[in-house]
Amino acid sequence: MRATTIHAPFDVRVEDVPEPVVRLPTDAVVRVLRACICGSDLWAYRGEAPRQPGQRIGHEFLGVVEETGSEVGTVRRGDLVVAPFMWSDGVCDYCREGLTTSCEHGGFWGSVGYDGGQGEAVRVPFADGTLVRLPKDAASDDHLLSALLTLSDVLGTGHHAALGAGARPGATVAVVGDGAVGLCAVLAAKRLGAERIIALGRHQVRTDIARRFGATDVVGERGDAAVDAVRELTRGQGAHAVVEAVGTEQSMRTAVEITRDGGAIGFVGVPHGSGTGLDLGVMFDRNIALRGGVAPVRAYIPELLPDVLDGRIDPSPVFDLTVGIEGVPEGYKAMDERTALKVLVTNG
């Protein structure tokens, strides 16, 4: 089959690799219909996250079950399924508590020795704990498939950030970052009932999507100017709930400075850079809470899925470029150069 591999910084290839097979009785093989490129994939692409030459890549996909192991009971051949960006057994203490990203037997797609999502098929460990069935007729609806694909990562991650920040009816929410996760955090904050949502971003195409998703205000400045703008919008107080969806020192510092006293920050931006942007003294004095981390999206899919199926939320606009599997390297280049927000990969 064809699959995406990474060999060196800026060297992503689509190559022939062995077809996946069931190795353990808890495995399934999924034929991928839709995958995508994540902003976090760019850290490997740019050489800022180490990868072995030839390692698979990609962690967001949905598709059709092709084969199952003898112990798999929740999905069967022919089922349309979505996979969260980590596999999990569904039965360990962490999984039962909803923290599937800390599963004792879990792992990331594209890890050494495992398939990545940006390929034609994937061997799925612990299929019962990992895969979520979707309505079969969704397979013929391209628009719905795009929306459902966001359940694998960005929609659940945005939801995790909004929950961590304390988005709720009547609250003012500010979102730092106009990438796909930040935009999904806007959508999540709106779904959770936030009264006012301030999106911080400099790219009009993206901030237009933020407004479509529910943002009431847009702040295009950065640094101190952004802090001043948010405080001007909030009578000098800042936002009750702030989402940090970038992961840099500057973005975290901005998040802290625009949080209202007694408020909270939900952080989901993958940290990169030399510092954290956190001043514990400031956070202590102003009673600011910090929650977040790797989003346990598997635990959120059952809650979010009905709203996507019913059209109450539609996260599909985060995809603004579509490529076939052979076009994945061009998709990486487009996202790296910021000519694409998020790239959808189709396999038929």
Side-chain angles (χ1 to χ4, degrees), residues 7-214:
H7 292 261
F10 306 102
D11 184 3
V12 166
R13 310 174 194 176
V14 179
E15 301 180 305
D16 289 326
V17 301
E19 285 274 357
V21 297
V22 168
R23 297 180 185 172
L24 298 171
T26 51
D27 287 350
V29 173
V30 172
R31 184 65 51 178
V32 176
L33 292 180
R34 296 289 184 275
C36 53
I37 302 172
C38 182
S40 65
D41 291 330
L42 295 180
W43 302 119
Y45 182 71
R46 294 166 178 162
E48 297 179 41
R51 293 293 187 274
Q52 292 185 6
Q55 190 172 337
R56 306 285 181 84
I57 194 169
H59 54 261
E60 301 160 282
F61 66 94
L62 59 75
V64 176
V65 176
E66 199 166 68
E67 185 181 1
T68 61
S70 60
E71 294 181 12
V72 176
T74 61
V75 298
R76 60 184 181 180
R77 180 180 175 88
D79 283 346
L80 180 68
V81 295
V82 64
F85 64 81
M86 288 184 67
W87 68 81
S88 53
D89 64 21
V91 297
C92 75
D93 288 346
Y94 291 113
C95 286
R96 288 199 300 268
E97 293 167 4
L99 194 61
T100 53
T101 48
S102 291
C103 176
E104 295 172 2
H105 303 106
F108 287 92
W109 309 113
S111 299
V112 175
Y114 291 90
D115 297 323
Q118 295 160 14
E120 292 182 319
V122 176
R123 180 179 75 88
V124 177
F126 301 104
D128 280 342
T130 301
L131 299 174
V132 177
R133 280 191 300 174
L134 305 171
K136 288 187 179 182
D137 56 3
S140 61
D141 187 331
D142 283 341
H143 183 90
L144 182 56
L145 279 181
S146 296
L148 291 169
L149 178 59
T150 65
L151 292 166
S152 66
D153 187 347
V154 288
L155 180 58
T157 297
H159 179 69
H160 186 58
L163 286 179
R168 59 196 181 277
T172 294
V173 177
V175 178
V176 181
D178 60 3
V181 169
L183 294 175
C184 284
V186 171
L187 191 63
K190 178 69 173 179
R191 178 180 174 274
L192 292 168
E195 180 177 320
R196 191 175 194 183
I197 303 171
I198 304 168
L200 281 71
R202 296 178 298 158
H203 306 86
Q204 185 174 346
V205 171
R206 300 182 180 199
T207 56
D208 285 349
I209 296 173
R211 289 190 184 276
R212 179 174 173 181
F213 282 1

Side-chain angles (χ1 to χ4, degrees), residues 248-287:
T248 64
E249 183 175 359
Q250 176 180 309
S251 62
M252 182 60 83
R253 182 174 291 113
T254 296
V256 171
E257 292 179 354
I258 65 174
T259 303
R260 188 178 188 270
D261 287 18
I265 299 167
F267 75 107
V268 292
V270 179
H272 51 278
S274 59
T276 65
L278 292 174
D279 185 330
L280 294 181
V282 169
M283 297 180 71
F284 181 87
D285 290 344
R286 295 176 49 213
N287 280 280

